[in-house]
Amino acid sequence: MAIRHTLSIIKPDATKRNLTGKIVAKFEDACASSHPSAST
């Protein structure tokens, strides 16, 4: 099983608005939906 790495560059205004968690959740949801066996 290959491990995937994603580099996400979040702009400073997004971190000031506390959107980092929502952005990471979108990446995790996208990964889980494209690889159903990867979700635990």
Side-chain angles (χ1 to χ4, degrees):
M1 181 168 119
I3 297 174
R4 291 183 169 201
H5 296 278
T6 302
L7 171 67
S8 58
I9 300 173
I10 301 171
K11 293 174 24 175
D13 65 320
T15 58
K16 287 179 187 175
R17 294 170 44 201
N18 295 323
L19 298 176
T20 305
K22 290 181 181 180
I23 294 169
V24 171
K26 286 188 181 210
F27 279 110
E28 290 175 345
D29 289 343
C31 181
S33 65
S34 64
H35 298 287
S37 61
S39 62
T40 56

